[in-house]
């Protein structure tokens, strides 16, 4: 499992492990054998770690060479950032972020130490600094949800590739 550094570091053209203090990220893709899977650990109460974790997750998914559109990758990046930020800002312990290819969709799960499951808010004031994360997830994800665990909760979402025949502009 990778631990995301608590302070941002300058990104270089090296492998994703360059962003981590060690190379203990748990990832498998065994020469494209299913399932593709990766887990990251994100420290508690460190907003700077959100962008690092988001970039690591996106970088990992790109190495899997799945046929995903730029729009799907953008949605993945946005939704991952929102889910991790919610865990980092609204809980007191570290969170774990995993991504896996199910064969039809990418599933991202953010597990944290807070027991209450998140609730999607109604209308949010136009200038409010928070309150839109779950609304974005609900609008852009193919499906999403949350559930209690023995030590807190897991919030998850899935994004899918473009429908067959709509692969113009697909990223590889």
């Amino acid at each position: 499992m990778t631990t995301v550094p608590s302070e941002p570091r300058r990104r270089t053209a090296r492998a994703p492990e360059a962003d981590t203090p060690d190379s203990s990220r748990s990832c498998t893709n065994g020469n494209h054998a299913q399932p593709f899977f990766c887990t990251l650990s994100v420290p508690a109460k460190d907003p700077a770690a959100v962008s690092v974790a988001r970039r690591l997750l996106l970088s990992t998914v790109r190495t899997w060479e799945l046929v995903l559109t730029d729009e799907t990758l953008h949605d993945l990046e946005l939704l991952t950032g929102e889910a991790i930020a919610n865990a980092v800002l609204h809980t007191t312990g570290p969170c774990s972020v995993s991504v896996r290819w199910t064969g039809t969709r990418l599933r991202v799960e953010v597990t944290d130490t807070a027991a209450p499951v998140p609730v999607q808010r109604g209308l949010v004031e136009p200038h409010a600094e928070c309150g839109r994360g779950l609304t974005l997830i609900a609008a852009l994800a193919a499906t999403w949800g949350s559930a209690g665990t023995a030590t807190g909760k897991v919030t998850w979402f899935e994004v899918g590739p473009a429908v067959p025949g709509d692969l113009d502009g697909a990223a590889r």
Side-chain angles (χ1 to χ4, degrees):
M1 184 182 303
T2 294
T3 301
V4 175
S6 59
E7 293 185 20
R9 296 169 79 174
R10 179 171 281 178
R11 182 115 177 150
T12 64
R14 289 185 264 171
E17 287 81 3
D19 277 337
T20 62
D22 58 39
S23 58
S24 60
R25 174 176 33 194
S26 173
C27 297
T28 60
N29 68 353
N31 295 329
H32 302 285
Q34 296 297 333
F36 294 98
F37 181 81
C38 186
T39 300
L40 308 170
S41 179
V42 181
K45 297 294 182 185
D46 185 359
V50 174
S51 63
V52 174
R54 183 187 66 233
R55 284 192 312 267
L56 282 169
L57 185 130
L58 196 62
S59 176
T60 297
V61 168
R62 287 180 188 272
T63 68
W64 294 346
E65 298 181 6
L66 302 170
V67 177
L68 301 171
T69 64
D70 290 338
E71 181 180 1
T72 298
L73 290 170
H74 179 266
D75 289 351
L76 176 65
E77 182 177 22
L78 176 64
L79 300 183
T80 297
E82 292 295 334
I84 296 170
N86 282 345
V88 168
L89 297 174
H90 301 296
T91 66
T92 58
C95 70
S96 147
V97 181
S98 65
V99 60
R100 71 181 158 98
W101 174 246
T102 68
T104 56
R105 293 181 178 161
L106 282 168
R107 182 179 179 103
V108 175
E109 296 181 353
V110 179
T111 305
D112 63 50
T113 58
V117 293
V119 177
Q120 186 176 347
R121 295 183 187 178
L123 293 175
V124 178
E125 292 294 321
H127 301 292
E129 292 184 16
C130 62
R132 293 178 187 84
L134 290 178
T135 301
L136 281 171
I137 291 172
L140 298 175
T143 186
W144 77 280
S146 60
T149 66
T151 58
K153 71 174 170 302
V154 60
T155 302
W156 58 269
F157 66 87
E158 294 181 353
V159 294
V163 278
D166 187 28
L167 294 178
D168 294 333
R172 284 216 63 176

